[in-house]
Amino acid sequence: MPVSGSPPPFLFDLDGTLIDSVYQHVMAWQEALSACGIALSVWRVHRRIGMSGGLFLNALQRETGRALDPGALAALAEGHREGYLRRASSVVALPGANELLAVLASRGVPFAIATSSAEQVAAAGLALLELPPGVPVVTRDQVQRAKPDPDLFLAAAAKLGVSPSSCFVVGDSVWDLLAAQRAGALGIGLLSGGYGEQELHSAGAYRVYADPADLLAHLEETGVRPPA
Amino acid sequence: MPVSGSPPPFLFDLDGTLIDSVYQHVMAWQEALSACGIALSVWRVHRRIGMSGGLFLNALQRETGRALDPGALAALAEGHREGYLRRASSVVALPGANELLAVLASRGVPFAIATSSAEQVAAAGLALLELPPGVPVVTRDQVQRAKPDPDLFLAAAAKLGVSPSSCFVVGDSVWDLLAAQRAGALGIGLLSGGYGEQELHSAGAYRVYADPADLLAHLEETGVRPPA
């Protein structure tokens, strides 16, 4: 239930939203797929980043018309994990990410992070952020279903002790924005994951900004006011 | 001058249009920029792929507010070239690319390739295509200005002996489509370079398809008819 008078809590996606890691995920998936003999164009991989890995692999089997046995599915997931971590040293925080989180913290705006990544991969990204103590983080391991199901954002709101419908969800992918709608939250899209602006609007974005720095520059639009 | 009755000639971009190489270019540029101490978000690099490298570096200096001396500019260009060629073994032809070119050839539709890449980088990509003998290829070295200037497509049309305004330009980036408009040609956008559909329409695309296979599946829409 939205509360009048207080700024909305923020639920942040991680990859492509706070850290510049989408393209490393894309290349790691493509490498893993290629190693398993699966040819999928790179742009099609890109458009799946941020969704549940399980759903990605389901869709992949349908699209390629090729059923994968449990061993192949495990090899793909492990290949992606290994390939991403090998590339993780080139990942940095997105412009304005730490500044945005610091401003929210200084103004008493609650926020949490909710990512489709498993704990180990998420930890490598979280290490790039200067998170104040006590910021809730929800990873893939903690929920039954990842994006575009709403579970991650519902769990993040629960950890903050707020209603999901009172929150802004900030994400770079259509999966974040679809999950936001499922959670009853308003979605803020960021171009920093490489989607087009219209793709984010079509997935239900309430507003679209370039990256965290651009969101910070327009923060009043979300109801977060400067100190009186 | 468009000619009634004959199918239009096709002028193809190469990277992201016929071969699946855009993300390798993106990572190579980001690596080169990072090695020169320049932090630029990866999605911003992505949105510049396909434009003239010189214009890219001009825009980069304006956006970062940092002037680069000729040595740094040369190091960036060489770093990208080296980084791309190191990744080139993972590049493949896009789905339907060779089939599309074969169908055009079999139906007597003239076509050419026009790329912002220099000859050495372009050669690695052209080797993935089964080009019939005599298909004109125009590379960066052969014109004064690359995309979004129209020179590459004008030169390609000249090599075919046709008017640019009678041609379809097929490309994955907004730079292709802007250059197509400058050349007086109709632009066909492909999603296979990772741009959003609306971005391509906003840059003037006459039609947008997923990739070469999807264009081939809808080839009648371009006026190329099956054999009588």
Coordinates of all heavy atoms in Angstrom, one line a residue, chain B residues 131-174:
Chain B
L131 N 31.1 -15.8 -50.5 CA 30.8 -14.8 -51.5 C 31.0 -15.3 -52.9 O 32.1 -15.8 -53.2 CB 31.6 -13.6 -51.2 CG 31.3 -12.7 -50.0 CD1 32.3 -11.5 -50.0 CD2 29.9 -12.3 -50.0
P132 N 30.0 -15.1 -53.7 CA 30.3 -15.5 -55.2 C 31.4 -14.6 -55.7 O 31.6 -13.5 -55.2 CB 28.9 -15.1 -55.8 CG 27.9 -15.0 -54.7 CD 28.7 -14.6 -53.5
P133 N 32.1 -15.0 -56.7 CA 33.2 -14.2 -57.3 C 32.6 -12.9 -57.8 O 31.5 -12.8 -58.3 CB 33.7 -15.0 -58.5 CG 33.1 -16.4 -58.3 CD 31.9 -16.3 -57.4
G134 N 33.4 -11.8 -57.6 CA 33.0 -10.6 -58.2 C 32.1 -9.7 -57.4 O 31.7 -8.6 -57.8
V135 N 31.8 -10.1 -56.1 CA 31.0 -9.2 -55.3 C 31.8 -8.1 -54.8 O 32.9 -8.3 -54.2 CB 30.4 -10.0 -54.1 CG1 29.7 -9.1 -53.1 CG2 29.4 -11.1 -54.5
P136 N 31.4 -6.8 -55.1 CA 32.2 -5.7 -54.6 C 32.3 -5.6 -53.1 O 31.2 -5.8 -52.4 CB 31.5 -4.5 -55.2 CG 30.7 -5.0 -56.3 CD 30.3 -6.4 -55.9
V137 N 33.4 -5.3 -52.6 CA 33.6 -5.0 -51.1 C 34.3 -3.7 -51.0 O 35.3 -3.5 -51.6 CB 34.4 -6.1 -50.5 CG1 34.7 -5.8 -49.0 CG2 33.8 -7.5 -50.6
V138 N 33.6 -2.8 -50.2 CA 34.2 -1.5 -49.9 C 34.6 -1.5 -48.4 O 33.7 -1.7 -47.6 CB 33.3 -0.4 -50.3 CG1 34.0 1.0 -50.1 CG2 32.8 -0.5 -51.7
T139 N 35.8 -1.2 -48.1 CA 36.3 -1.1 -46.7 C 36.7 0.3 -46.4 O 36.8 1.2 -47.3 CB 37.5 -2.0 -46.4 OG1 38.6 -1.6 -47.3 CG2 37.1 -3.5 -46.7
R140 N 36.9 0.6 -45.1 CA 37.2 1.9 -44.6 C 38.3 2.6 -45.4 O 38.3 3.8 -45.6 CB 37.6 1.8 -43.1 CG 38.1 3.1 -42.5 CD 36.9 3.9 -42.3 NE 37.2 5.3 -41.8 CZ 37.5 6.3 -42.6 NH1 37.5 6.1 -44.0 NH2 37.7 7.5 -42.1
D141 N 39.3 1.8 -45.8 CA 40.5 2.3 -46.5 C 40.2 3.0 -47.8 O 41.0 3.8 -48.3 CB 41.5 1.2 -46.7 CG 41.6 0.2 -45.6 OD1 40.6 -0.6 -45.5 OD2 42.5 0.2 -44.8
Q142 N 39.0 2.6 -48.4 CA 38.8 3.0 -49.8 C 38.0 4.3 -49.9 O 37.7 4.7 -51.0 CB 38.0 1.9 -50.5 CG 38.8 0.6 -50.6 CD 38.0 -0.6 -51.2 OE1 37.1 -0.4 -52.0 NE2 38.3 -1.8 -50.7
V143 N 37.5 4.8 -48.8 CA 36.7 6.0 -48.8 C 37.3 7.1 -47.9 O 38.0 6.8 -46.9 CB 35.2 5.8 -48.5 CG1 34.6 4.8 -49.5 CG2 35.1 5.2 -47.1
Q144 N 36.8 8.3 -48.1 CA 37.3 9.4 -47.2 C 36.7 9.3 -45.8 O 37.3 9.5 -44.8 CB 37.1 10.7 -47.9 CG 37.9 11.8 -47.2 CD 37.6 13.2 -47.8 OE1 36.9 13.3 -48.9 NE2 38.1 14.3 -47.2
R145 N 35.4 9.0 -45.8 CA 34.6 9.1 -44.6 C 33.8 7.9 -44.4 O 33.1 7.5 -45.3 CB 33.7 10.3 -44.5 CG 34.5 11.6 -44.5 CD 33.6 12.8 -44.6 NE 34.4 14.0 -44.3 CZ 33.9 15.2 -44.3 NH1 32.6 15.4 -44.7 NH2 34.6 16.3 -44.0
A146 N 33.8 7.3 -43.2 CA 33.0 6.1 -42.9 C 31.6 6.5 -42.4 O 31.3 7.7 -42.3 CB 33.7 5.2 -41.9
K147 N 30.8 5.6 -42.0 CA 29.4 5.8 -41.6 C 29.4 6.6 -40.3 O 30.3 6.5 -39.5 CB 28.7 4.5 -41.3 CG 28.7 3.6 -42.5 CD 28.3 2.1 -42.1 CE 28.7 1.2 -43.3 NZ 28.5 -0.2 -42.9
P148 N 28.5 7.5 -40.1 CA 27.2 7.7 -40.8 C 27.3 8.6 -42.1 O 26.3 8.9 -42.6 CB 26.3 8.3 -39.8 CG 27.2 9.2 -39.0 CD 28.5 8.4 -38.9
D149 N 28.5 8.9 -42.5 CA 28.6 9.5 -43.9 C 28.3 8.5 -44.9 O 28.4 7.3 -44.7 CB 30.0 10.1 -44.1 CG 30.2 11.5 -43.4 OD1 29.7 12.5 -44.0 OD2 30.8 11.5 -42.3
P150 N 27.8 8.9 -46.0 CA 27.3 7.9 -47.0 C 28.3 7.3 -47.9 O 28.0 6.4 -48.7 CB 26.3 8.8 -47.8 CG 26.8 10.2 -47.8 CD 27.5 10.3 -46.4
D151 N 29.6 7.8 -47.8 CA 30.6 7.4 -48.8 C 30.7 5.9 -49.0 O 30.9 5.5 -50.2 CB 32.0 7.9 -48.3 CG 32.0 9.4 -48.0 OD1 30.9 10.0 -47.7 OD2 33.1 10.0 -48.1
L152 N 30.7 5.1 -48.0 CA 30.8 3.6 -48.2 C 29.7 3.1 -49.1 O 30.0 2.3 -50.0 CB 30.9 2.9 -46.8 CG 32.2 3.0 -46.0 CD1 31.9 2.8 -44.5 CD2 33.2 2.0 -46.6
F153 N 28.5 3.5 -48.8 CA 27.4 3.0 -49.6 C 27.4 3.6 -51.0 O 27.1 2.9 -52.0 CB 26.1 3.2 -48.9 CG 25.9 2.4 -47.6 CD1 25.7 3.0 -46.4 CD2 26.1 1.0 -47.6 CE1 25.6 2.3 -45.3 CE2 26.0 0.3 -46.5 CZ 25.7 0.9 -45.3
L154 N 27.8 4.8 -51.1 CA 27.9 5.4 -52.5 C 29.0 4.7 -53.3 O 28.8 4.4 -54.5 CB 28.3 6.9 -52.3 CG 27.3 7.8 -51.7 CD1 27.8 9.3 -51.6 CD2 25.9 7.8 -52.4
A155 N 30.1 4.4 -52.7 CA 31.2 3.7 -53.4 C 30.7 2.3 -53.8 O 31.0 1.8 -54.9 CB 32.4 3.6 -52.5
A156 N 30.0 1.6 -52.9 CA 29.5 0.3 -53.2 C 28.5 0.3 -54.3 O 28.6 -0.6 -55.2 CB 28.8 -0.3 -51.9
A157 N 27.6 1.3 -54.3 CA 26.7 1.4 -55.5 C 27.4 1.7 -56.8 O 27.1 1.1 -57.8 CB 25.6 2.5 -55.2
A158 N 28.4 2.5 -56.7 CA 29.2 2.8 -57.9 C 29.9 1.6 -58.4 O 29.9 1.4 -59.6 CB 30.2 3.9 -57.6
K159 N 30.4 0.7 -57.5 CA 31.1 -0.5 -58.0 C 30.1 -1.4 -58.6 O 30.5 -2.2 -59.5 CB 31.7 -1.2 -56.8 CG 33.0 -0.5 -56.3 CD 33.8 -1.5 -55.5 CE 35.2 -0.9 -55.1 NZ 36.1 -1.9 -54.5
L160 N 28.8 -1.4 -58.2 CA 27.8 -2.2 -58.9 C 27.3 -1.5 -60.1 O 26.5 -2.2 -60.9 CB 26.6 -2.4 -57.9 CG 26.8 -3.4 -56.7 CD1 25.6 -3.3 -55.9 CD2 27.1 -4.8 -57.2
G161 N 27.6 -0.3 -60.3 CA 27.1 0.5 -61.5 C 25.7 0.8 -61.4 O 24.9 0.8 -62.4
V162 N 25.2 1.0 -60.2 CA 23.8 1.4 -60.0 C 23.7 2.7 -59.2 O 24.6 3.1 -58.6 CB 23.0 0.2 -59.2 CG1 23.1 -1.1 -59.9 CG2 23.6 0.1 -57.8
S163 N 22.5 3.3 -59.3 CA 22.3 4.5 -58.5 C 22.0 4.1 -57.0 O 21.2 3.2 -56.7 CB 21.0 5.2 -59.1 OG 20.5 6.1 -58.1
P164 N 22.7 4.8 -56.1 CA 22.4 4.5 -54.7 C 20.9 4.6 -54.3 O 20.5 3.8 -53.5 CB 23.2 5.6 -53.9 CG 24.2 6.2 -54.9 CD 23.6 5.9 -56.3
S165 N 20.2 5.5 -54.9 CA 18.8 5.6 -54.6 C 17.9 4.5 -55.1 O 16.8 4.4 -54.7 CB 18.2 7.0 -55.1 OG 18.2 6.9 -56.5
S166 N 18.5 3.6 -55.9 CA 17.8 2.4 -56.3 C 18.0 1.2 -55.3 O 17.4 0.1 -55.5 CB 18.2 2.0 -57.7 OG 19.5 1.5 -57.7
C167 N 18.8 1.4 -54.3 CA 19.3 0.3 -53.5 C 18.6 0.2 -52.2 O 18.1 1.2 -51.6 CB 20.8 0.5 -53.2 SG 21.9 0.4 -54.6
F168 N 18.6 -1.0 -51.6 CA 18.4 -1.2 -50.2 C 19.7 -1.3 -49.5 O 20.6 -2.0 -49.9 CB 17.6 -2.6 -49.9 CG 16.2 -2.5 -50.2 CD1 15.6 -3.4 -51.1 CD2 15.4 -1.6 -49.4 CE1 14.2 -3.3 -51.3 CE2 14.0 -1.6 -49.6 CZ 13.4 -2.4 -50.5
V169 N 19.9 -0.6 -48.4 CA 21.0 -0.7 -47.5 C 20.6 -1.6 -46.3 O 19.5 -1.3 -45.7 CB 21.5 0.6 -47.0 CG1 22.3 0.5 -45.7 CG2 22.3 1.3 -48.1
V170 N 21.3 -2.7 -46.0 CA 21.0 -3.6 -44.9 C 22.0 -3.4 -43.9 O 23.2 -3.7 -44.1 CB 20.9 -5.1 -45.4 CG1 20.4 -5.9 -44.3 CG2 19.9 -5.2 -46.6
G171 N 21.6 -3.1 -42.6 CA 22.5 -2.9 -41.6 C 21.9 -3.1 -40.2 O 20.7 -3.0 -40.1
D172 N 22.8 -3.3 -39.2 CA 22.3 -3.5 -37.8 C 22.3 -2.3 -37.0 O 21.8 -2.3 -35.8 CB 23.1 -4.6 -37.2 CG 24.5 -4.1 -36.9 OD1 25.2 -3.8 -37.9 OD2 24.9 -4.0 -35.8
S173 N 23.0 -1.2 -37.4 CA 23.2 -0.1 -36.5 C 22.5 1.1 -37.0 O 22.2 1.2 -38.2 CB 24.7 0.2 -36.4 OG 25.2 0.9 -37.5
V174 N 22.3 2.1 -36.1 CA 21.7 3.3 -36.6 C 22.6 4.0 -37.6 O 22.1 4.8 -38.4 CB 21.3 4.2 -35.4 CG1 20.4 3.6 -34.4 CG2 22.6 4.7 -34.6

